[in-house]
Amino acid sequence: MDAAQEARNREAFRQAVVNTLERRLFYVPSFKIYRGVAGLYDYGPPGCAVKSNVLAFWRQHFVLEENMLEVDCPCVTPEVVLKASGHVDKFTDLMVKDEKTGTCYRADHLLKDFCKEKLERDPNITAEKAAEFRHVLAVLDDLSAEELGAKIKDYGITAPDTKNPLSAPYPFNLMFQTSIGPSGLSRGYMRPETAQGIFVNFKDLYYYNGNKLPFAAAQIGQAFRNEISPRQGLLRVREFTLAEIEHFVDPEDKSHPKFSEVSNLEFLMFPREDQVSGLSARRIHIGEAVSEGIVNNETLGYFIGRVYLFLTHLGIDKERLRFRQHLANEMAHYATDCWDAEIECSYGWIECVGIADRSAYDLRAHTEKSGVPLVAAERFSEPREVEKLVIAPVKKELGLAFKGNQKMVTEALESMGEKEAMEMKATLESKGEAEFHVCTLEKVVTIKKSMVTILKEKKKEHQRVFTPSVIEPSFGIGRIIYCLYEHSFYTRSSKGGDEQLNVFRFPPLVAPIKCTVFPLVQNQQYEEVAKRIAKSLTATGISYKIDITGTSIGKRYARTDELGVPLAITVDSTSSVTLRERDSKQQIRVNVEEVASVVKDVTDGFSTWADMLWKYPTHSSSASED
């Protein structure tokens, strides 16, 4: 099959999935009656249920299993926090504008689309030109604004909608800006990630955890990015749900006590060296990847293994899941190692989870900006003699000079690093005073020699104080859910063979509704039995739907198969019922009093459908299937 035909097949499959999702109200464009807003979507009833189930399993698999500390922080974030983290200065994409209409586009997306279009649909492309386009796609993330602009000009790329010429690329900050309070003087942003709320709370969380490392904090919440030109449905949106973990660990000991539980897992990995050499992803044991240094440390490897288990339990196809290591040009300057869990769908390989060793960058940045030390301590069994920097502010002198600001100046002095402190000491001794920038005051103050004593002295220490490193798994929930939709979707012929029926093969774990209840015919006795069954399902915590419409049972099965409902109860007598499994379409007979517990056992994973086939008599009826 040639590339063009493959692209058309992917597009047709995607359209079938999206049409079904929108028709059955899994999600729809937001504000649709007002023509919608790009990059914003509403989840309908089944979509909400799937999302809720995914997040419930995330909490169980990570927060409960690892005894994490869950927090919930505001979406509105003061500018100073995001200034410290680097988002205000660096959270940008390169944008181009239609020079006549002013419509904005993301520059790298236009170049990427052009190259892919040529590779997939141009039958006359030369081998040399194809190699050039592949090279551009490979280095796209590394191109500067000037290089991107030159490529767009060389290839004659114009505005997609109007074919008008485009401006040169320029940076655009992706954060939504707002002001906090009525004065408009306190600037803030809608958070672009949930991580910063955890970092600024480190001191209190560390205390809450008994001043012990390692520990992890977790947060589920909305994040906002003012995407230049949102596309690809749920994959690139302006408001989305993140589930993030910040695992704080001693930088000198990144081992993990539970690593042996995942070390034998084998899955597709795509190390940096293989990507550079033009090789494909290969199956590697995560234990080998850590021991051979492909993955930087055990804790990072442990979370890669746990992410693999999480995604495959949700229903992601393990053959279309890989862990790709960031190339040197993709790595943040502070990161020690970073891997993306990528899932293949009709759009290609999509990054859905990032698992990074962010070193101590974030806590150090907030320590420096806030003046509050975000550090941990290791107590020694025996005291150790070390040469120690001592900074002793003279509070009386500082109080006279700075009055109400004394506390902030004192904290800023105490949090100085050794280099800055020794430079201040030299300046104070030679000039009698020194200029000092206090971050929390956002101004430079003058420190006199009488205000602070700085010296180095040998002393015995009972503990080592250090800034912890952070291992961060970050989950894009919407992206995971969309890939799950594609991986779960298939069609099968109706009984007569005259139409194709859509089915979502969701595992019971994430299915929006666990079972349906159908009285076979509109009959008061059967409807009463259905209500009794519904009551028992509610009591056992099983989500269900009753369908008492007069349509054929086959059509009712087809409707709920399209919603991904794993089990259907058909009330066709007052003492026992038919229980049908979605994918095999097999049926068993179960007593009315037992059926709720059977459904719970299967949907909670305590028993399999195969167990039930062995335990209960099978049932077949030509009138009861599609």
Side-chain angles (χ1 to χ4, degrees), residues 29-32 34-41 230 238:
S30 299
F31 319 112
K32 192 165 65 169
Y34 292 100
R35 298 185 182 177
V37 178
L40 297 176
Y41 291 90
R238 288 178 165 139

Side-chain angles (χ1 to χ4, degrees), residues 451-522:
M451 296 177 181
V452 63
T453 302
I454 302 170
L455 53 90
K456 277 189 173 182
E457 63 180 26
K458 286 189 176 178
K459 57 190 295 188
K460 287 189 175 180
E461 280 200 339
H462 294 268
Q463 63 181 9
R464 172 177 71 98
V465 177
F466 59 91
T467 305
S469 284
V470 177
I471 311 293
E472 179 194 71
S474 176
F475 299 73
I477 298 301
R479 289 185 169 199
I480 292 169
I481 288 172
Y482 179 76
C483 291
L484 177 62
Y485 288 152
E486 282 206 9
H487 285 208
S488 302
F489 184 82
Y490 69 100
T491 59
R492 64 183 176 209
S493 298
S494 63
K495 187 177 181 185
D498 54 343
E499 63 177 321
Q500 289 295 304
L501 304 175
N502 302 322
V503 184
F504 282 106
R505 60 162 78 84
F506 296 128
L509 178 71
V510 295
I513 300 164
K514 306 306 181 192
C515 82
T516 43
V517 185
F518 302 142
L520 183 61
V521 293
Q522 288 182 313

Side-chain angles (χ1 to χ4, degrees), residues 324-344:
R324 187 184 69 83
Q325 189 175 30
H326 279 204
L327 298 172
N329 61 11
E330 295 176 276
M331 291 269 283
H333 63 89
Y334 51 78
T336 306
D337 195 6
C338 186
W339 293 75
D340 287 340
E342 295 183 331
I343 303 172
E344 188 183 28

Side-chain angles (χ1 to χ4, degrees), residues 259 262-265 269 284-293 301:
F259 182 65
V262 302
S263 61
N264 288 327
L265 290 174
M269 299 189 75
I284 305 175
H285 282 95
I286 188 63
E288 292 174 15
V290 171
S291 63
E292 293 172 13

